[in-house]
Amino acid sequence: MADPVRTRIAPSPTGDPHVGTAYVALFNYALARQNGGSFVLRIEDTDQQRSNLQSEEMILDALSWIGLDWDEGPDVGGPHGPYRQSERTEIYREHVEMLVTSGAAYPCFCSRERLDAVRAEQKAAKALLGYDRHCRALDPEEALKRRESGEPFVIRLAMPTEGETLSQDLLRGEISIANSQVDDQVLLKSDGRPTYHLANVVDDHLMGISHVVRAEEWISSLPKHVQLYRAFGWTLPVFCHLPLLRNADRSKISKRKNPVSLNHYRRAGILPEALLNYLALMGWTMPDERDQFTLEEFVENFRLEDIRLGGPVFDRQKLVWLNGKYIRDLPLEDFFARLRGETLSDDYLLQILPLVQERIDTLADFIPYAGFFFVGDVEYEDKALPKLVAKGHTAPQTAKALRILVEDHLDPVLDWNAAAVEAALGDFCAAQEWTSKELFMPVRVALTGSTATPPLFETMEVLGKERCRWRLRGAIEVLRGMKA
Ligand code: GLU
Protein backbone atom coordinates (compact mmCIF):
# COMPACT_ATOMS: atom_id res chain seq x y z
CA MET A 1 0.00 0.00 0.00
CA ALA A 2 1.27 3.46 -0.85
CA ASP A 3 2.27 5.72 2.03
CA PRO A 4 -0.55 7.95 3.18
CA VAL A 5 -0.68 11.42 1.75
CA ARG A 6 0.08 13.89 4.51
CA THR A 7 0.28 17.59 3.81
CA ARG A 8 0.69 20.62 6.01
CA ILE A 9 0.41 24.34 6.30
CA ALA A 10 3.13 25.81 8.47
CA PRO A 11 2.41 29.48 9.15
CA SER A 12 4.68 31.69 11.20
CA PRO A 13 2.52 33.62 13.67
CA THR A 14 4.08 37.01 13.10
CA GLY A 15 1.17 39.17 11.94
CA ASP A 16 -2.34 39.24 10.58
CA PRO A 17 -3.63 36.10 8.83
CA HIS A 18 -2.44 36.37 5.23
CA VAL A 19 -4.41 35.57 2.12
CA GLY A 20 -1.33 33.68 0.83
CA THR A 21 -1.60 31.33 3.83
CA ALA A 22 -5.18 30.47 2.85
CA TYR A 23 -4.05 29.96 -0.75
CA VAL A 24 -1.31 27.50 0.19
CA ALA A 25 -3.55 25.85 2.79
CA LEU A 26 -6.27 25.30 0.18
CA PHE A 27 -4.01 23.28 -2.13
CA ASN A 28 -2.58 21.27 0.76
CA TYR A 29 -6.05 20.61 2.09
CA ALA A 30 -7.34 19.51 -1.29
CA LEU A 31 -4.40 17.17 -1.91
CA ALA A 32 -4.90 15.49 1.45
CA ARG A 33 -8.67 15.20 1.07
CA GLN A 34 -8.45 13.94 -2.49
CA ASN A 35 -6.25 11.07 -1.36
CA GLY A 36 -7.97 10.24 1.89
CA GLY A 37 -4.90 11.57 3.71
CA SER A 38 -4.34 14.05 6.52
CA PHE A 39 -3.86 17.79 6.59
CA VAL A 40 -1.67 19.09 9.40
CA LEU A 41 -1.41 22.58 10.82
CA ARG A 42 1.96 23.38 12.34
CA ILE A 43 2.93 26.66 13.93
CA GLU A 44 6.45 27.75 13.00
CA ASP A 45 7.26 30.11 15.83
CA THR A 46 11.03 29.67 15.95
CA ASP A 47 11.44 33.42 15.61
CA GLN A 48 10.72 34.17 19.25
CA GLN A 49 10.90 37.90 18.85
CA ARG A 50 8.36 38.20 16.07
CA SER A 51 6.02 35.34 16.96
CA ASN A 52 3.06 35.75 19.23
CA LEU A 53 0.05 33.83 20.41
CA GLN A 54 -2.41 36.48 19.31
CA SER A 55 -1.34 36.10 15.72
CA GLU A 56 -1.54 32.31 16.04
CA GLU A 57 -5.12 32.57 17.29
CA MET A 58 -6.05 34.90 14.46
CA ILE A 59 -4.57 32.54 11.88
CA LEU A 60 -6.45 29.54 13.26
CA ASP A 61 -9.62 31.56 13.42
CA ALA A 62 -9.27 32.85 9.86
CA LEU A 63 -8.55 29.39 8.45
CA SER A 64 -11.60 28.00 10.26
CA TRP A 65 -13.71 30.86 8.93
CA ILE A 66 -12.68 30.10 5.40
CA GLY A 67 -13.66 26.47 5.91
CA LEU A 68 -10.39 24.54 5.78
CA ASP A 69 -10.33 22.13 8.70
CA TRP A 70 -7.18 20.34 9.74
CA ASP A 71 -6.78 16.87 11.20
CA GLU A 72 -3.82 17.62 13.45
CA GLY A 73 -2.67 20.87 14.96
CA PRO A 74 -1.93 22.78 18.16
CA ASP A 75 -5.62 23.10 19.01
CA VAL A 76 -6.83 19.61 18.06
CA GLY A 77 -3.67 17.66 18.92
CA GLY A 78 -2.70 14.49 17.09
CA PRO A 79 -0.18 11.67 17.15
CA HIS A 80 2.80 13.76 16.01
CA GLY A 81 2.58 16.66 18.43
CA PRO A 82 3.40 19.06 19.81
CA TYR A 83 2.48 21.12 16.74
CA ARG A 84 4.06 24.35 17.89
CA GLN A 85 7.77 24.51 17.17
CA SER A 86 8.56 26.46 20.32
CA GLU A 87 7.50 23.33 22.23
CA ARG A 88 9.85 21.06 20.28
CA THR A 89 13.23 22.60 21.09
CA GLU A 90 14.59 19.39 22.67
CA ILE A 91 13.71 17.40 19.55
CA TYR A 92 15.74 19.78 17.38
CA ARG A 93 18.69 19.71 19.75
CA GLU A 94 18.78 15.92 19.74
CA HIS A 95 18.61 15.86 15.99
CA VAL A 96 21.30 18.41 15.44
CA GLU A 97 23.62 16.45 17.73
CA MET A 98 23.10 13.41 15.51
CA LEU A 99 24.46 15.46 12.63
CA VAL A 100 27.41 16.74 14.67
CA THR A 101 28.29 13.17 15.62
CA SER A 102 28.18 12.00 12.00
CA GLY A 103 30.20 15.01 10.84
CA ALA A 104 27.36 16.44 8.75
CA ALA A 105 27.21 19.52 10.97
CA TYR A 106 29.74 21.31 13.13
CA PRO A 107 29.90 23.88 15.92
CA CYS A 108 31.06 27.33 14.93
CA PHE A 109 32.52 29.72 17.50
CA CYS A 110 33.09 32.72 15.26
CA SER A 111 32.18 36.02 16.86
CA ARG A 112 29.90 38.58 15.23
CA GLU A 113 32.96 40.80 14.72
CA ARG A 114 34.82 38.08 12.86
CA LEU A 115 31.79 37.30 10.67
CA ASP A 116 31.39 41.00 9.87
CA ALA A 117 35.07 41.31 8.99
CA VAL A 118 34.87 38.27 6.67
CA ARG A 119 31.84 39.74 5.00
CA ALA A 120 33.47 43.12 4.53
CA GLU A 121 36.48 41.45 2.91
CA GLN A 122 34.27 39.41 0.60
CA LYS A 123 32.37 42.52 -0.36
CA ALA A 124 35.56 44.43 -1.11
CA ALA A 125 36.80 41.55 -3.26
CA LYS A 126 33.34 41.27 -4.90
CA ALA A 127 33.41 37.59 -3.90
CA LEU A 128 30.44 35.39 -3.03
CA LEU A 129 29.15 36.35 0.41
CA GLY A 130 28.93 33.64 3.01
CA TYR A 131 30.59 31.98 5.95
CA ASP A 132 34.21 31.11 5.18
CA ARG A 133 33.95 27.74 6.97
CA HIS A 134 36.66 28.71 9.42
CA CYS A 135 35.39 26.41 12.21
CA ARG A 136 34.73 23.50 9.93
CA ALA A 137 38.40 22.60 10.16
CA LEU A 138 38.42 22.41 13.95
CA ASP A 139 39.27 19.10 15.54
CA PRO A 140 35.96 17.67 16.88
CA GLU A 141 37.49 16.90 20.29
CA GLU A 142 38.78 20.41 20.62
CA ALA A 143 35.39 21.78 19.52
CA LEU A 144 33.66 19.68 22.15
CA LYS A 145 35.98 21.02 24.84
CA ARG A 146 35.24 24.57 23.82
CA ARG A 147 31.50 23.90 23.94
CA GLU A 148 31.83 22.34 27.38
CA SER A 149 33.82 25.28 28.65
CA GLY A 150 30.76 27.45 27.96
CA GLU A 151 32.00 29.26 24.87
CA PRO A 152 29.05 30.48 22.76
CA PHE A 153 28.53 28.63 19.48
CA VAL A 154 26.08 27.92 16.70
CA ILE A 155 25.79 24.67 14.75
CA ARG A 156 26.22 24.83 10.99
CA LEU A 157 25.43 22.37 8.24
CA ALA A 158 28.57 21.12 6.48
CA MET A 159 27.44 21.56 2.89
CA PRO A 160 29.38 19.58 0.29
CA THR A 161 31.87 22.00 -1.23
CA GLU A 162 31.98 20.42 -4.66
CA GLY A 163 29.47 19.09 -7.14
CA GLU A 164 25.87 20.16 -7.22
CA THR A 165 22.65 19.54 -5.38
CA LEU A 166 19.82 18.23 -7.51
CA SER A 167 16.30 18.75 -6.26
CA GLN A 168 12.97 17.95 -7.83
CA ASP A 169 10.07 20.33 -7.80
CA LEU A 170 6.81 18.86 -8.97
CA LEU A 171 6.01 21.87 -11.17
CA ARG A 172 9.50 22.84 -12.27
CA GLY A 173 11.24 19.50 -12.65
CA GLU A 174 14.89 19.20 -11.77
CA ILE A 175 16.58 22.15 -10.14
CA SER A 176 20.33 22.01 -9.82
CA ILE A 177 22.58 24.34 -7.93
CA ALA A 178 26.35 24.31 -7.55
CA ASN A 179 27.19 23.46 -3.95
CA SER A 180 29.85 26.15 -3.94
CA GLN A 181 26.98 28.66 -4.09
CA VAL A 182 25.33 27.39 -0.91
CA ASP A 183 26.39 28.62 2.50
CA ASP A 184 27.04 26.44 5.55
CA GLN A 185 23.67 27.29 6.95
CA VAL A 186 23.18 27.84 10.69
CA LEU A 187 20.93 25.08 12.03
CA LEU A 188 20.99 25.82 15.74
CA LYS A 189 21.39 29.35 17.03
CA SER A 190 23.57 30.35 19.97
CA ASP A 191 20.51 30.44 22.24
CA GLY A 192 19.98 26.74 21.55
CA ARG A 193 16.97 27.32 19.32
CA PRO A 194 16.65 25.98 15.80
CA THR A 195 16.55 28.01 12.61
CA TYR A 196 13.65 27.66 10.20
CA HIS A 197 15.63 25.18 8.04
CA LEU A 198 16.35 22.69 10.80
CA ALA A 199 12.94 22.83 12.47
CA ASN A 200 11.09 22.68 9.17
CA VAL A 201 12.93 19.61 7.85
CA VAL A 202 12.94 17.72 11.15
CA ASP A 203 9.22 18.34 11.59
CA ASP A 204 8.25 17.48 8.05
CA HIS A 205 10.05 14.18 8.50
CA LEU A 206 8.83 13.34 11.99
CA MET A 207 5.29 14.37 11.11
CA GLY A 208 5.37 12.06 8.10
CA ILE A 209 4.69 14.82 5.58
CA SER A 210 4.61 13.23 2.13
CA HIS A 211 4.13 16.39 0.06
CA VAL A 212 5.65 19.75 0.92
CA VAL A 213 3.46 22.20 -0.95
CA ARG A 214 4.46 25.76 -0.16
CA ALA A 215 5.02 29.19 -1.62
CA GLU A 216 7.58 29.84 -4.31
CA GLU A 217 9.61 32.09 -2.04
CA TRP A 218 11.00 29.01 -0.26
CA ILE A 219 12.53 27.53 -3.39
CA SER A 220 15.93 29.01 -2.61
CA SER A 221 15.94 26.98 0.62
CA LEU A 222 15.37 23.74 -1.27
CA PRO A 223 19.03 22.72 -1.77
CA LYS A 224 19.71 23.22 1.94
CA HIS A 225 16.68 21.17 2.82
CA VAL A 226 17.63 18.40 0.40
CA GLN A 227 21.12 18.28 1.90
CA LEU A 228 19.62 18.11 5.37
CA TYR A 229 17.41 15.16 4.43
CA ARG A 230 20.49 13.45 3.01
CA ALA A 231 22.54 14.19 6.11
CA PHE A 232 19.86 12.55 8.24
CA GLY A 233 19.50 9.68 5.77
CA TRP A 234 15.79 10.40 5.32
CA THR A 235 13.58 9.93 2.27
CA LEU A 236 12.66 13.15 0.55
CA PRO A 237 9.04 14.25 0.38
CA VAL A 238 7.58 15.51 -2.89
CA PHE A 239 8.28 19.25 -3.14
CA CYS A 240 5.92 21.59 -4.93
CA HIS A 241 6.37 25.35 -4.84
CA LEU A 242 3.21 27.23 -5.69
CA PRO A 243 3.38 30.46 -7.69
CA LEU A 244 3.23 33.65 -5.66
CA LEU A 245 0.07 35.71 -5.76
CA ARG A 246 0.71 39.04 -7.44
CA ASN A 247 -0.55 42.60 -7.43
CA ALA A 248 -1.97 43.97 -10.67
CA ASP A 249 1.51 45.26 -11.59
CA ARG A 250 2.82 41.68 -11.14
CA SER A 251 4.87 42.49 -8.06
CA LYS A 252 4.54 40.05 -5.14
CA ILE A 253 1.22 40.64 -3.40
CA SER A 254 1.72 43.30 -0.77
CA LYS A 255 -0.44 45.24 1.60
CA ARG A 256 0.49 48.52 0.01
CA LYS A 257 -1.34 47.54 -3.14
CA ASN A 258 -3.85 44.93 -2.04
CA PRO A 259 -5.38 44.11 1.29
CA VAL A 260 -3.64 40.87 2.29
CA SER A 261 -5.29 40.13 5.62
CA LEU A 262 -8.00 37.48 5.53
CA ASN A 263 -9.80 39.58 8.12
CA HIS A 264 -10.09 42.36 5.60
CA TYR A 265 -12.10 40.18 3.23
CA ARG A 266 -14.21 38.87 6.06
CA ARG A 267 -14.99 42.40 7.20
CA ALA A 268 -15.61 43.49 3.63
CA GLY A 269 -18.44 40.98 3.38
CA ILE A 270 -16.75 38.44 1.14
CA LEU A 271 -18.21 34.98 1.65
CA PRO A 272 -15.60 32.41 2.68
CA GLU A 273 -16.63 29.95 -0.04
CA ALA A 274 -16.30 32.68 -2.67
CA LEU A 275 -12.81 33.55 -1.46
CA LEU A 276 -11.77 29.89 -1.50
CA ASN A 277 -13.24 29.48 -4.97
CA TYR A 278 -11.35 32.57 -6.12
CA LEU A 279 -8.08 31.31 -4.63
CA ALA A 280 -8.56 27.98 -6.39
CA LEU A 281 -8.55 29.90 -9.69
CA MET A 282 -5.12 31.31 -8.98
CA GLY A 283 -2.95 29.29 -11.34
CA TRP A 284 -5.50 26.53 -11.86
CA THR A 285 -8.50 26.02 -14.13
CA MET A 286 -11.40 23.59 -13.78
CA PRO A 287 -11.29 21.05 -16.65
CA ASP A 288 -14.58 22.47 -18.02
CA GLU A 289 -13.28 26.01 -17.40
CA ARG A 290 -16.10 26.93 -15.04
CA ASP A 291 -15.32 29.86 -12.74
CA GLN A 292 -17.68 28.87 -9.99
CA PHE A 293 -17.37 25.59 -8.13
CA THR A 294 -17.58 24.20 -4.63
CA LEU A 295 -14.70 23.09 -2.45
CA GLU A 296 -15.81 19.46 -2.95
CA GLU A 297 -15.74 19.90 -6.72
CA PHE A 298 -12.29 21.41 -6.46
CA VAL A 299 -11.03 18.53 -4.31
CA GLU A 300 -12.40 16.07 -6.83
CA ASN A 301 -11.01 17.70 -9.94
CA PHE A 302 -7.77 19.43 -9.16
CA ARG A 303 -4.35 18.05 -9.96
CA LEU A 304 -1.28 19.59 -8.47
CA GLU A 305 0.58 18.97 -11.75
CA ASP A 306 -1.83 21.25 -13.60
CA ILE A 307 -0.94 24.41 -11.71
CA ARG A 308 0.46 27.05 -14.04
CA LEU A 309 3.55 28.90 -12.95
CA GLY A 310 2.99 32.38 -14.42
CA GLY A 311 2.28 34.38 -11.24
CA PRO A 312 -1.50 34.67 -10.82
CA VAL A 313 -2.79 38.20 -10.31
CA PHE A 314 -5.05 38.65 -7.31
CA ASP A 315 -7.77 40.83 -8.77
CA ARG A 316 -10.14 42.17 -6.14
CA GLN A 317 -12.74 43.17 -8.71
CA LYS A 318 -12.94 39.63 -9.99
CA LEU A 319 -13.25 38.36 -6.44
CA VAL A 320 -16.12 40.77 -5.80
CA TRP A 321 -17.78 39.72 -9.06
CA LEU A 322 -17.56 36.05 -8.04
CA ASN A 323 -18.80 36.90 -4.56
CA GLY A 324 -21.82 38.54 -6.16
CA LYS A 325 -22.66 35.29 -7.91
CA TYR A 326 -22.49 33.49 -4.59
CA ILE A 327 -24.68 36.09 -2.91
CA ARG A 328 -27.31 35.71 -5.61
CA ASP A 329 -27.27 31.93 -5.27
CA LEU A 330 -28.01 32.03 -1.54
CA PRO A 331 -31.49 30.94 -0.51
CA LEU A 332 -33.15 33.90 1.18
CA GLU A 333 -32.91 32.49 4.67
CA ASP A 334 -29.18 31.81 4.18
CA PHE A 335 -28.68 35.30 2.84
CA PHE A 336 -30.40 36.65 5.94
CA ALA A 337 -28.31 34.43 8.19
CA ARG A 338 -25.05 35.54 6.55
CA LEU A 339 -25.93 39.19 6.93
CA ARG A 340 -26.90 38.69 10.53
CA GLY A 341 -23.77 36.59 11.12
CA GLU A 342 -21.27 39.24 10.00
CA THR A 343 -22.30 42.67 8.79
CA LEU A 344 -25.39 43.05 10.97
CA SER A 345 -24.50 40.69 13.77
CA ASP A 346 -25.84 41.39 17.26
CA ASP A 347 -22.29 41.52 18.44
CA TYR A 348 -21.34 44.26 15.99
CA LEU A 349 -24.49 46.29 16.62
CA LEU A 350 -23.94 46.08 20.36
CA GLN A 351 -20.47 47.52 19.91
CA ILE A 352 -21.80 50.45 17.89
CA LEU A 353 -24.85 51.39 19.93
CA PRO A 354 -23.01 52.76 23.00
CA LEU A 355 -21.08 55.06 20.69
CA VAL A 356 -24.17 56.61 19.13
CA GLN A 357 -26.78 56.61 21.88
CA GLU A 358 -25.70 59.99 23.25
CA ARG A 359 -25.66 61.52 19.84
CA ILE A 360 -28.92 60.70 18.07
CA ASP A 361 -32.50 61.78 18.81
CA THR A 362 -34.59 59.33 16.84
CA LEU A 363 -34.05 55.76 15.78
CA ALA A 364 -34.15 57.00 12.23
CA ASP A 365 -31.02 59.05 12.88
CA PHE A 366 -29.10 55.84 13.34
CA ILE A 367 -28.47 55.04 9.69
CA PRO A 368 -27.26 58.49 8.60
CA TYR A 369 -25.15 58.87 11.74
CA ALA A 370 -23.69 55.39 11.95
CA GLY A 371 -23.78 54.37 8.28
CA PHE A 372 -20.00 54.54 8.01
CA PHE A 373 -19.77 51.50 10.29
CA PHE A 374 -21.42 49.36 7.62
CA VAL A 375 -20.08 50.44 4.25
CA GLY A 376 -16.93 49.41 2.41
CA ASP A 377 -15.67 52.81 1.26
CA VAL A 378 -16.84 56.05 2.85
CA GLU A 379 -17.91 59.07 0.90
CA TYR A 380 -16.63 62.35 2.27
CA GLU A 381 -19.24 64.96 3.07
CA ASP A 382 -18.64 68.13 1.06
CA LYS A 383 -17.76 70.15 4.13
CA ALA A 384 -15.51 67.39 5.48
CA LEU A 385 -13.32 66.94 2.42
CA PRO A 386 -11.10 70.02 3.00
CA LYS A 387 -10.53 68.80 6.57
CA LEU A 388 -8.84 65.71 5.21
CA VAL A 389 -5.81 67.96 4.90
CA ALA A 390 -4.24 68.46 8.32
CA LYS A 391 -4.31 71.97 9.66
CA GLY A 392 -0.98 73.70 9.05
CA HIS A 393 0.14 71.03 6.57
CA THR A 394 -0.24 70.46 2.83
CA ALA A 395 -2.10 67.60 1.18
CA PRO A 396 1.16 65.75 0.28
CA GLN A 397 2.44 66.22 3.83
CA THR A 398 -0.80 64.82 5.20
CA ALA A 399 -0.63 61.89 2.76
CA LYS A 400 2.87 61.11 3.92
CA ALA A 401 1.87 61.40 7.56
CA LEU A 402 -1.05 59.01 7.10
CA ARG A 403 1.19 56.54 5.31
CA ILE A 404 3.66 56.60 8.19
CA LEU A 405 0.81 56.29 10.65
CA VAL A 406 -0.51 53.18 8.88
CA GLU A 407 2.77 51.45 8.20
CA ASP A 408 4.81 52.25 11.27
CA HIS A 409 2.22 52.66 13.97
CA LEU A 410 -1.06 50.90 13.13
CA ASP A 411 0.09 47.85 11.16
CA PRO A 412 2.13 46.47 14.06
CA VAL A 413 -0.86 46.61 16.46
CA LEU A 414 -2.17 43.06 16.83
CA ASP A 415 -4.43 43.52 19.82
CA TRP A 416 -6.66 46.15 18.24
CA ASN A 417 -8.59 48.13 20.85
CA ALA A 418 -9.20 51.78 21.76
CA ALA A 419 -6.26 51.97 24.17
CA ALA A 420 -3.85 50.43 21.67
CA VAL A 421 -5.07 52.78 18.96
CA GLU A 422 -4.70 55.77 21.25
CA ALA A 423 -1.14 54.70 22.07
CA ALA A 424 -0.32 54.22 18.38
CA LEU A 425 -1.63 57.67 17.45
CA GLY A 426 0.28 59.13 20.38
CA ASP A 427 3.48 57.42 19.24
CA PHE A 428 3.01 58.88 15.79
CA CYS A 429 2.61 62.39 17.19
CA ALA A 430 5.69 62.01 19.36
CA ALA A 431 7.81 60.62 16.53
CA GLN A 432 6.66 63.12 13.87
CA GLU A 433 6.22 66.13 16.12
CA TRP A 434 2.58 66.52 15.26
CA THR A 435 -0.07 67.60 17.73
CA SER A 436 -3.05 65.34 18.26
CA LYS A 437 -5.27 68.16 16.99
CA GLU A 438 -3.42 68.18 13.67
CA LEU A 439 -3.64 64.42 13.31
CA PHE A 440 -7.08 63.51 14.57
CA MET A 441 -9.22 65.50 12.15
CA PRO A 442 -7.78 64.00 8.94
CA VAL A 443 -7.95 60.55 10.51
CA ARG A 444 -11.54 61.13 11.54
CA VAL A 445 -12.56 62.30 8.08
CA ALA A 446 -10.66 59.47 6.41
CA LEU A 447 -12.45 56.88 8.53
CA THR A 448 -15.96 58.27 8.67
CA GLY A 449 -16.31 60.79 5.83
CA SER A 450 -17.50 63.31 8.39
CA THR A 451 -16.16 65.78 10.94
CA ALA A 452 -18.75 65.02 13.62
CA THR A 453 -18.45 61.45 14.80
CA PRO A 454 -18.36 59.33 17.93
CA PRO A 455 -15.06 59.34 19.89
CA LEU A 456 -12.19 58.50 17.59
CA PHE A 457 -10.38 55.68 19.40
CA GLU A 458 -13.56 53.76 20.20
CA THR A 459 -14.74 54.26 16.65
CA MET A 460 -11.47 52.83 15.37
CA GLU A 461 -11.75 49.87 17.69
CA VAL A 462 -15.21 49.02 16.42
CA LEU A 463 -14.37 49.61 12.76
CA GLY A 464 -11.52 47.17 13.15
CA LYS A 465 -7.97 47.32 11.93
CA GLU A 466 -8.63 46.21 8.36
CA ARG A 467 -11.34 48.75 7.67
CA CYS A 468 -9.27 51.52 9.24
CA ARG A 469 -6.19 50.76 7.21
CA TRP A 470 -8.26 50.40 4.04
CA ARG A 471 -9.92 53.79 4.51
CA LEU A 472 -6.69 55.49 5.49
CA ARG A 473 -5.11 54.09 2.32
CA GLY A 474 -8.07 55.45 0.36
CA ALA A 475 -7.58 58.88 1.96
CA ILE A 476 -3.87 58.81 1.09
CA GLU A 477 -4.82 58.32 -2.57
CA VAL A 478 -7.31 61.19 -2.41
CA LEU A 479 -4.73 63.44 -0.78
CA ARG A 480 -2.14 62.54 -3.39
CA GLY A 481 -4.60 63.58 -6.08
CA MET A 482 -5.13 67.02 -4.47
CA LYS A 483 -3.17 70.10 -5.44
CA ALA A 484 -0.40 70.86 -2.97
N1 GLU B 1 6.92 29.08 8.24
C1 GLU B 1 7.02 29.20 6.82
C2 GLU B 1 6.03 30.27 6.39
O1 GLU B 1 5.65 31.05 7.17
C3 GLU B 1 6.71 27.87 6.19
C4 GLU B 1 7.44 27.59 4.93
C5 GLU B 1 7.23 26.16 4.51
O2 GLU B 1 6.07 25.83 4.24
O3 GLU B 1 8.19 25.40 4.49
O4 GLU B 1 5.62 30.39 5.27
Side-chain angles (χ1 to χ4, degrees):
M1 210 176 82
D3 285 338
V5 169
R6 288 177 57 83
T7 64
R8 53 43 165 203
I9 182 77
S12 297
T14 53
D16 295 315
H18 199 281
V19 67
T21 303
Y23 174 58
V24 175
L26 169 65
F27 285 85
N28 276 286
Y29 169 93
L31 187 64
R33 292 287 171 267
Q34 187 174 64
N35 292 283
S38 304
F39 173 50
V40 177
L41 191 149
R42 178 173 77 228
I43 293 293
E44 298 209 327
D45 55 352
T46 51
D47 184 342
Q48 291 280 301
Q49 245 135 45
R50 296 180 59 223
S51 300
N52 64 73
L53 216 56
Q54 205 124 31
S55 164
E56 177 185 320
E57 279 166 13
M58 286 199 286
I59 292 170
L60 265 59
D61 188 45
L63 289 175
S64 304
W65 166 72
I66 206 166
L68 299 174
D69 53 323
W70 46 96
D71 306 297
E72 299 167 32
D75 54 340
V76 290
H80 301 278
Y83 292 92
R84 209 176 270 122
Q85 289 187 327
S86 57
E87 294 165 17
R88 299 172 64 83
T89 309
E90 262 326 299
I91 299 176
Y92 308 126
R93 283 194 200 148
E94 279 164 24
H95 278 82
V96 90
E97 290 307 335
M98 284 158 50
L99 297 186
V100 173
T101 307
S102 73
Y106 61 95
C108 163
F109 302 91
C110 290
S111 63
R112 171 82 355 244
E113 292 70 35
R114 181 173 185 281
L115 295 176
D116 288 346
V118 169
R119 208 181 159 81
E121 254 173 55
Q122 289 169 337
K123 265 198 174 153
K126 297 210 162 52
L128 199 69
L129 300 182
Y131 179 56
D132 66 353
R133 305 192 161 123
H134 180 72
C135 290
R136 192 158 159 174
L138 284 178
D139 170 48
E141 299 259 322
E142 151 94 21
L144 190 61
K145 275 202 197 113
R146 286 174 70 176
R147 284 177 62 173
E148 283 168 356
S149 74
E151 203 176 323
F153 65 95
V154 301
I155 305 266
R156 289 181 184 272
L157 178 65
M159 273 294 290
T161 47
E162 286 169 5
E164 53 187 12
T165 301
L166 291 183
S167 353
Q168 293 286 338
D169 175 86
L170 190 80
L171 299 173
R172 294 164 184 80
E174 196 165 86
I175 300 174
S176 97
I177 179 153
N179 289 330
S180 56
Q181 306 275 316
V182 187
D183 208 5
D184 278 4
Q185 182 68 49
V186 173
L187 301 177
L188 198 76
K189 296 181 269 191
S190 56
D191 62 2
R193 294 189 184 277
T195 55
Y196 155 73
H197 303 285
L198 176 68
N200 185 271
V201 165
V202 167
D203 285 351
D204 280 344
H205 175 73
L206 294 183
M207 295 181 181
I209 301 303
S210 60
H211 294 71
V212 170
V213 180
R214 62 183 166 197
E216 189 175 343
E217 60 194 304
W218 300 104
I219 213 159
S220 58
S221 302
L222 192 54
K224 292 170 192 166
H225 292 189
V226 168
Q227 288 298 344
L228 260 173
Y229 277 96
R230 291 221 179 109
F232 281 117
W234 292 338
T235 314
L236 291 170
V238 175
F239 288 103
C240 174
H241 293 81
L242 297 177
L244 286 179
L245 303 181
R246 311 234 159 224
N247 298 311
D249 63 4
R250 307 219 133 245
S251 54
K252 175 183 164 186
I253 196 167
S254 64
K255 55 185 166 196
R256 272 205 184 181
K257 302 192 177 143
N258 251 313
V260 292
S261 167
L262 289 169
N263 292 341
H264 170 88
Y265 295 99
R266 184 174 184 173
R267 287 270 189 170
I270 297 292
L271 304 180
E273 62 271 39
L275 182 54
L276 270 188
N277 185 162
Y278 185 64
L279 289 174
L281 295 170
M282 300 280 91
W284 186 81
T285 310
M286 199 44 126
D288 62 7
E289 299 189 3
R290 236 176 330 143
D291 276 323
Q292 195 179 356
F293 45 81
T294 64
L295 181 58
E296 291 69 37
E297 289 170 324
F298 175 60
V299 167
E300 214 169 283
N301 284 283
F302 113 105
R303 283 177 5 122
L304 212 45
E305 294 80 352
D306 292 341
I307 293 171
R308 293 181 306 277
L309 287 177
V313 171
F314 189 89
D315 175 351
R316 257 176 302 123
Q317 269 154 12
K318 180 148 188 218
L319 168 63
V320 169
W321 165 81
L322 188 61
N323 199 61
K325 290 175 70 137
Y326 273 87
I327 293 270
R328 285 183 272 292
D329 286 351
L330 288 174
L332 202 58
E333 59 278 21
D334 275 3
F335 180 31
F336 178 73
R338 298 296 185 106
L339 205 60
R340 294 285 283 132
E342 292 282 345
T343 313
L344 291 181
S345 69
D346 287 353
D347 183 46
Y348 192 47
L349 286 171
L350 285 168
Q351 289 177 54
I352 295 168
L353 296 187
L355 299 182
V356 308
Q357 193 169 12
E358 292 292 322
R359 298 174 177 82
I360 62 175
D361 300 317
T362 68
L363 297 179
D365 289 342
F366 179 71
I367 295 294
Y369 189 72
F372 70 86
F373 280 110
F374 301 96
V375 294
D377 295 304
V378 284
E379 291 200 7
Y380 306 117
E381 289 168 6
D382 287 346
K383 64 176 195 311
L385 185 61
K387 300 273 169 78
L388 198 54
V389 181
K391 202 160 182 205
H393 297 268
T394 62
Q397 285 167 341
T398 311
K400 184 172 168 215
L402 293 186
R403 183 179 61 71
I404 294 172
L405 174 69
V406 170
E407 290 176 7
D408 296 355
H409 299 276
L410 296 178
D411 274 348
V413 177
L414 287 180
D415 192 3
W416 186 264
N417 56 52
V421 166
E422 179 174 5
L425 296 185
D427 287 347
F428 167 91
C429 288
Q432 300 297 322
E433 299 185 357
W434 276 45
T435 64
S436 44
K437 261 215 178 105
E438 288 168 328
L439 178 67
F440 289 3
M441 186 52 86
V443 172
R444 187 185 300 282
V445 173
L447 297 179
T448 68
S450 169
T451 53
T453 69
L456 187 60
F457 313 136
E458 284 77 6
T459 298
M460 289 177 75
E461 172 176 333
V462 175
L463 279 173
K465 178 176 180 179
E466 288 71 30
R467 229 178 237 151
C468 289
R469 77 183 309 289
W470 177 249
R471 290 184 189 173
L472 286 165
R473 283 252 159 242
I476 293 168
E477 290 309 314
V478 171
L479 286 160
R480 283 189 178 146
M482 283 181 183
K483 291 204 185 72

